[in-house]
Amino acid sequence: MKHATLTDRAYDRLEEAIVTLRLRPGAVLSESALATDLGFGRTPIREALQRLAREGLVVVLPRKGILVTEINPRNQILLLEVRRELERLIARTGALRRTEEERLRFLEIADGMEKASRENDDIAFMRYDQALNQLEAEASHNEYAQRAMSQTHGLSRRFWYMHYKEAADLPLCARLHAELARGIAEGDPGAASRASDRLIDYVEEFTRATLDTPQPERAVAR
């Protein structure tokens, strides 16, 4: 596992805050205020925000601040068209190329996601979900696939977090993620590909259900 830099750590803190809606869609952020609040220097915060901008979670407005992007369910359907193909590719290649260390990490994540589901711990579940996303990309040992996948995961996880209490089945979601992780760990590309498709089928069904679900009231951003 690669050593986490200050930029990596700043990114993880900001990404989680955005994905779990502590930094709400439409909020305008200040680079200097974020540096003070999170205890990082301006450079790691700036680099983390640039990464988040590439992933579509924020928009940098010159001389105005940083805007947390809005959430659009219909855009999520388009995103899933791309994610389905990329997820299948990464699952298959990960099963073929994963190392022994990565195999053990997949199994740990599968167990952790199921435990978080049993305990109804949504933040732990989100952290395991992010860890699985990152590990899948790493295990593919394909830098181009990794770059492409980074454009989809944060947006997908934020959308899920916003709506899961209305439309999601957390135990089923955890089981589908765990099946994917274990399929890759077992080194079976066919099983991993099928598990990936089942997961995206569920995510698409969940996403479409939100199109007919009243939107939750927005809290005021701090």
Side-chain angles (χ1 to χ4, degrees):
M1 186 184 302
K2 69 178 183 178
H3 177 70
T5 66
L6 284 175
T7 296
D8 291 333
R9 289 164 52 196
Y11 167 85
D12 287 342
R13 293 278 300 278
L14 285 169
E15 200 260 8
E16 180 175 296
I18 293 170
V19 165
T20 59
L21 306 178
R22 295 198 301 276
L23 295 175
R24 302 289 296 186
V28 178
L29 312 177
S30 159
E31 185 180 293
S32 58
L34 289 172
T36 299
D37 291 344
L38 298 179
F40 291 99
R42 292 282 294 270
T43 297
I45 291 293
R46 183 178 303 114
E47 292 174 349
L49 288 168
Q50 290 169 350
R51 182 174 167 186
L52 291 165
R54 290 193 296 270
E55 295 174 4
L57 289 170
V58 302
V59 175
V60 178
L61 304 173
R63 296 181 297 279
K64 294 183 180 179
I66 300 94
L67 177 70
V68 179
T69 57
E70 296 287 350
I71 297 175
N72 185 319
R74 288 172 175 78
N75 287 348
Q76 288 296 127
I77 297 295
L78 298 176
L79 183 67
L80 285 172
E81 290 181 0
V82 177
R83 187 178 162 194
R84 179 182 293 277
E85 303 303 323
L86 290 173
E87 289 273 10
R88 188 186 297 121
L89 169 66
I90 280 186
R92 184 176 68 252
T93 55
L96 291 169
R97 299 171 184 168
R98 56 106 184 105
T99 64
E100 177 62 16
E101 179 185 356
E102 288 164 345
R103 183 185 75 84
L104 295 175
R105 287 165 59 199
F106 275 117
L107 295 176
E108 290 174 1
I109 289 171
D111 291 342
M113 293 190 91
E114 291 176 332
K115 181 175 184 290
S117 171
R118 288 194 300 272
E119 296 175 353
N120 199 32
D121 187 339
D122 55 3
I123 297 298
F125 180 85
M126 297 294 286
R127 289 173 179 167
Y128 280 116
D129 191 18
Q130 183 187 32
L132 178 58
N133 294 159
Q134 292 175 342
L135 182 56
E136 279 186 88
E138 291 169 12
S140 73
H141 296 276
N142 182 329
E143 64 178 292
Y144 302 102
Q146 291 181 42
R147 291 177 192 171
M149 284 305 298
S150 71
Q151 308 300 309
T152 70
H153 280 146
L155 292 170
S156 292
R157 291 198 340 276
R158 181 176 66 157
F159 182 84
W160 185 89
Y161 192 84
M162 171 166 272
H163 294 285
Y164 86 94
K165 290 181 180 178
E166 303 124 40
D169 181 335
L170 186 57
L172 173 59
C173 189
R175 178 172 63 78
L176 291 171
H177 279 83
E179 287 176 356
L180 172 59
R182 291 183 178 122
I184 298 173
E186 290 166 4
D188 185 335
S193 295
R194 291 189 294 273
S196 176
D197 283 340
R198 287 193 295 271
L199 174 59
I200 298 301
D201 285 344
Y202 166 76
V203 174
E204 182 173 342
E205 179 183 345
F206 161 78
T207 302
R208 292 188 184 280
T210 68
L211 296 175
D212 300 319
T213 300
Q215 301 297 303
E217 292 185 8
R218 178 175 300 171
V220 176
R222 292 194 304 164

